[in-house]
Amino acid sequence: MGTVVDDAASVEFHAFFERHYAELSRLAHLLTGEPDAADDLAADALLALWHRWDRVRAADHPAAYARGVVANLARTRIRSAVRERRRVALFWSQREEKTENPDVAGVVDVQEALRRLPFRKRACVVLRHAFDLSEKDTALALGVSVGTVKSQTSKGMAELQRLLGTQAVPRKVHAAMARTADAGGRDR
């Protein structure tokens, strides 16, 4: 009888995987800014979900739980990359990065501005504007209160407006992230 339950859980997880893998990969890409790492983070998150599938499938919002796992893995990856850059900087002189072409596409500008936001602000902005999640769903995904989502999204958008120097930030952010998500979906 255990096999029937295991088979049912396996089929259910497979359906969940098929339904949410691309979304989780896009989320990882937008949170980390690393398209090559996005698939790995989504796969790692789904592996973690599979190991806890009995609990996940019983949850009220399994997709929100999955987004939270991706967000946590992305945060860990970013922190690790920051530590690695600091270690490398001890041994190598830092070069100034210069943009040769000052007429950079809006998508690149928005992605760079997003990378400059602290993780929680970036996650709130990405989930709210790229994935059109409600404040409640964003709060569920990140494991924070709705009030935190509201304040972090507002502060993140204000900082993006300051960084991008424009009043049309919500439209630009949404359009740029939609293009990134569309391109990411096609490339995968």
Side-chain angles (χ1 to χ4, degrees), residues 11-45:
V11 167
E12 192 175 89
F13 178 78
H14 182 72
F16 182 87
F17 179 97
E18 292 295 325
R19 203 169 38 253
H20 296 287
Y21 178 78
E23 171 194 349
L24 296 174
S25 181
R26 284 192 313 270
L27 174 60
H29 176 211
L30 289 168
L31 291 177
T32 63
E34 300 177 30
D36 296 336
D39 285 331
D40 292 340
L41 288 174
D44 289 347

Side-chain angles (χ1 to χ4, degrees), residues 92-112:
W92 300 98
S93 63
Q94 292 216 338
R95 297 182 307 186
E96 253 185 63
E97 291 185 28
K98 296 182 181 180
T99 304
E100 292 181 25
N101 183 1
D103 191 25
V104 180
V107 172
V108 174
D109 290 341
V110 170
Q111 287 178 339
E112 182 59 34

Side-chain angles (χ1 to χ4, degrees), residues 64-105:
Y65 185 85
R67 290 183 199 110
V69 172
V70 168
N72 287 332
L73 289 172
R75 179 183 306 119
T76 300
R77 182 173 183 87
I78 290 166
R79 287 178 178 166
S80 177
V82 167
R83 283 191 303 271
E84 182 65 23
R85 278 189 292 249
R86 287 180 183 152
R87 284 192 292 265
V88 169
L90 292 173
F91 298 105
W92 300 98
S93 63
Q94 292 216 338
R95 297 182 307 186
E96 253 185 63
E97 291 185 28
K98 296 182 181 180
T99 304
E100 292 181 25
N101 183 1
D103 191 25
V104 180

